[in-house]
Each structure stands twice: as structure tokens, then as C-alpha cells.
Amino acid sequence: QQLGDRLPEVLDRAIEELTPPETICYQDELQIVELLASQPSPEVILAIRPTPALQTRMSELLDRNKSGTLSRLEEAELARYLLLEHWVRLAKAHAYKHLQTAA
């Protein structure tokens, strides 16, 4: 309760600390769907990271969204990226829970 709206930030930091040094980078929805459909191990899921190019693009879109200068196409692109990030967070939360119950 004390963390309030900082919970996503706290979860990201916790997951980063638990993530193995080798990472699996993704650029789009298809790559994530294919990876998750392959039923990877929890360790592999925790190693998933967006590519630097995707991180840069998301930052640009988020900045432009704050300033109210997004086109309709960019709004749809940002919505897709946010959904993609949500999928990854859910998968990581499930993987982390699985590792905790297995330990």
C-alpha cells in the first residue's frame, strides 16, 4: 500500500535483480508470442528484455504522448508496445512465482 503507483517500478527492479546476466531480446509481438508458446523455462522468461531500439522507440512514443503530439498510428503503436510489455510482465511474474514455489 505504501508503494501505491510505484509498484510497477518496484517489480521491474526486483525482476532485474533476479534476472540472469544472459538476456533474450525481443523487438515485436511475434517474437514474444513465439517465445512464450515454446513453453520456455522460468529462467528464460526472466531473461527477456526489449532490444535497445525498441526501448528507444517506446521512450520516444511515451514522450510524444505526454506532449500530446502522437498521431493515430503512433497511438496504436504505443498501445501495442504497452500490451507487449504487459504480457512480458505477466509471464515474468508467473515465472518468478514458479521459481519460488519450486525452491
Side-chain angles (χ1 to χ4, degrees):
Q1 286 179 328
Q2 293 175 335
L3 298 175
D5 58 344
R6 292 187 59 212
L7 185 58
E9 175 190 348
V10 171
L11 289 173
D12 278 344
R13 287 184 183 181
I15 288 172
E16 284 176 18
E17 289 179 19
L18 296 170
T19 301
E22 59 278 352
T23 59
I24 298 169
C25 293
Y26 65 90
Q27 181 66 38
D28 60 27
E29 301 96 321
L30 181 59
Q31 288 174 319
I32 288 299
V33 169
E34 288 174 350
L35 176 64
L36 296 177
S38 72
Q39 298 180 339
S41 70
E43 293 82 6
V44 168
I45 292 172
L46 292 174
I48 296 171
R49 293 279 181 267
T51 62
L54 180 56
Q55 288 177 329
T56 299
R57 181 61 179 156
M58 287 181 68
S59 292
E60 290 170 0
L61 291 172
L62 289 169
D63 288 343
R64 293 195 55 213
N65 186 49
K66 285 181 185 177
S67 67
T69 59
L70 282 180
S71 69
R72 287 185 185 241
L73 287 175
E74 290 170 326
E75 286 176 7
E77 182 183 5
L78 178 58
R80 281 194 330 270
Y81 288 148
L82 292 174
L83 180 59
L84 181 60
E85 181 181 347
H86 181 69
W87 289 346
V88 172
R89 285 183 188 206
L90 287 174
K92 286 184 176 192
H94 181 74
Y96 178 72
K97 181 180 175 183
H98 180 74
L99 287 175
Q100 292 301 310
T101 57

